Amino acid sequence: MTDTPSPKPSQPSRRTFVRVLGAGGIILGASALGAGTWVTTRDPATAREPWQNAGQGDDVRVRALSYAILAPNAHNRQPWSVDLSEPGSVTLYCDLDRRLPETDPFDRQITVSLGCFIELFTLAAAEEGFGVEANLFPQGEPSPRLDARPVARLQLAPGNGTRDPLFAQIVNRHTNKEPFDTARSVPAGDVAAVLAASGAAGSLQAGSTLEDAKILELRELTWRGHEIESFTPRTLQESIDLMRIGKAEVLANPDGIDLSGPLFESLNVAGLLTREQIADTTSTAFQQGLDAYREMIFSAMGYVWLISDGDTRAEQIAAGRAYVRMHLEATARGIDVHPLSQALQEYEEIAELYSDAKTTLGAQPTQTVQMLARIGYGPTIKASPRWLAETRIRNT
């Protein structure tokens, strides 16, 4: 560790970067396979096999787990770990090494992610006729951060499960981080159905907007959140540390932020897309990334959100369960969903914007905005990488 700043790498000109970007992938002439073959081998398809192989295993708990690991989660950290040592039940833990201490300092987003996991596990078990009783935080709710205590004990009850049509959408649900079609409106009836599917009740409320003025306001707000995160060195670095650039990195660690495919890998090989450049806010690589995210944010065609009366761990879990149900219903209706959590985070630099977000979304000062997501219609995308289900089972 040193206080001396490291020298910045030399930057390619914007013209060079755009030329390479537009080429759809450059290949170094020394490639032994040849350009065409190299491009076709850059897809880390193996890292997406859990989506194709869900439902396998001799134990209903393992089969349900194989669907639960497909849950949406913050920064694709996949923070779940399970103990199957007790017959007929699953004990869920947070893998403490998979938290996000800079952007999620109180593990709220990670807990919401675990709620998504519990809901998909429940849907998968019900598909086979098993009910699931979730005893949350059986040894107490950890605060201010999650700890080694269990998040939930999931007890399976044969014959008590009620099949839910949302189960069929688990393997189809993906978070679409591409620009949406700004010429295509989202039907109000479909959004109402998405909110209804959440099952939000009691201390949790689901909301939405399709109003042009509110959409413009939320586009600006979510963009400001991304800017703050991007120009706060420690929060930017947290994302950079989780970037998997190229096929080899994704296969070695099928979590975090996937920057795979021939384009990203070509830029990286050519020295035009490196972690050092992304960390340098004056670089072309950083600016191109910022421009791409701005285009994505300003293509939102509506928003959905979840607000809880308080911010207990149980409410965070409930928000996760409700959110993934909303996303599954949206998927069934062909609507794309992309959470935008930057303005809802709890580190010091974002506090003022978070207050603005609560006001904009109609939340009271004592309430918590648990989720905010843009909706619309985007291009077809591939599933995100996942660790195999068996890698999430603790040794007993």
Side-chain angles (χ1 to χ4, degrees):
M1 188 171 185
T2 175
D3 292 329
T4 305
S6 58
K8 297 178 181 177
S10 59
Q11 303 299 331
S13 69
R14 185 178 181 87
R15 179 179 299 177
T16 299
F17 190 92
V18 172
R19 185 173 65 248
V20 175
L21 194 67
I26 59 169
I27 310 299
L28 298 183
S31 171
L33 295 176
T37 303
W38 189 89
V39 168
T40 61
T41 61
R42 294 304 88 203
D43 180 25
T46 304
R48 295 193 298 273
E49 287 183 354
W51 294 87
Q52 303 157 15
N53 299 332
Q56 298 184 11
D58 296 330
D59 187 328
V60 63
R61 297 175 300 170
V62 174
R63 294 194 294 274
L65 174 63
S66 72
Y67 286 102
I69 63 166
L70 306 180
N73 61 100
H75 268 19
N76 197 28
R77 292 304 284 138
Q78 302 168 51
W80 31 77
S81 173
V82 301
D83 184 338
L84 304 182
S85 60
E86 182 182 351
S89 71
V90 172
T91 303
L92 172 64
Y93 295 86
C94 175
D95 184 334
L96 299 180
D97 292 333
R98 295 180 173 276
R99 296 175 296 171
L100 300 163
E102 301 300 342
T103 54
D104 188 29
F106 304 116
D107 301 331
R108 183 188 62 79
Q109 294 179 73
I110 289 294
T111 305
V112 171
S113 302
L114 293 165
C116 294
F117 175 99
I118 291 172
E119 184 62 24
L120 294 197
F121 184 93
T122 301
L123 290 176
E127 189 69 9
E128 298 193 41
F130 288 81
V132 176
E133 180 181 349
N135 180 14
L136 300 180
F137 303 100
Q139 297 177 16
E141 288 195 3
S143 179
R145 301 196 68 195
L146 296 177
D147 55 30
R149 288 175 288 177
V151 172
R153 182 177 180 271
L154 307 176
Q155 182 68 46
L156 274 71
N160 289 344
T162 302
R163 298 176 69 181
D164 191 315
L166 292 180
F167 167 80
Q169 300 303 326
I170 292 178
V171 296
N172 300 322
R173 183 215 62 80
H174 307 306
T175 297
N176 198 324
K177 300 177 182 178
E178 297 295 326
F180 294 163
D181 184 352
T182 55
R184 187 177 178 189
S185 300
V186 182
D190 283 351
V191 176
V194 168
L195 297 188
S198 72
S203 68
L204 185 67
Q205 304 98 46
S208 67
T209 188
L210 295 173
E211 297 177 5
D212 290 344
K214 183 66 73 172
I215 288 172
L216 291 174
E217 187 176 4
L218 286 169
R219 284 176 178 176
E220 290 288 349
L221 185 143
T222 53
W223 171 244
R224 284 163 55 204
H226 181 70
E227 280 189 308
I228 292 172
E229 183 176 311
S230 298
F231 285 96
T232 301
R234 71 182 190 284
T235 57
L236 172 62
Q237 191 61 50
E238 183 170 75
S239 292
I240 292 172
D241 291 342
L242 295 174
M243 290 178 180
R244 318 302 185 204
I245 304 176
K247 179 180 179 179
E249 290 190 8
V250 172
L251 293 180
N253 288 290
D255 57 25
I257 301 171
D258 173 13
L259 298 181
S260 64
L263 175 56
F264 284 125
E265 193 160 351
S266 298
L267 294 172
N268 180 249
V269 170
L272 301 177
L273 182 68
T274 67
R275 289 177 176 82
E276 292 76 16
Q277 291 171 340
I278 297 171
D280 177 4
T281 58
T282 69
S283 72
T284 300
F286 177 87
Q287 188 59 53
Q288 288 284 340
L290 210 60
D291 291 346
Y293 209 88
R294 181 181 176 86
E295 179 185 5
M296 179 176 64
I297 283 181
F298 279 85
S299 69
M301 296 304 290
Y303 293 87
V304 295
W305 58 81
L306 290 163
I307 297 173
S308 60
D309 286 344
D311 196 24
T312 64
R313 294 295 181 195
E315 286 173 309
Q316 293 165 7
I317 292 289
R321 299 189 70 162
Y323 170 74
V324 75
R325 292 184 62 83
M326 291 168 68
H327 200 161
L328 292 172
E329 180 65 31
T331 300
R333 293 172 178 272
I335 300 170
D336 288 305
V337 182
H338 175 207
L340 297 171
S341 299
Q342 295 93 331
L344 310 183
Q345 294 168 161
E346 294 146 297
Y347 56 94
E348 181 181 0
E349 291 85 348
I350 209 77
E352 183 177 350
L353 182 62
Y354 179 46
S355 179
D356 291 344
K358 292 174 72 170
T359 300
T360 300
L361 296 173
Q364 299 300 312
T366 56
Q367 293 182 311
T368 302
V369 182
Q370 298 287 359
M371 292 295 295
L372 171 64
R374 68 185 179 111
I375 57 175
Y377 300 96
T380 301
I381 59 169
K382 295 179 179 178
S384 59
R386 283 293 191 277
W387 287 97
L388 296 170
E390 52 264 35
T391 69
R392 304 300 92 196
I393 301 173
R394 292 187 169 197
N395 293 325
T396 56

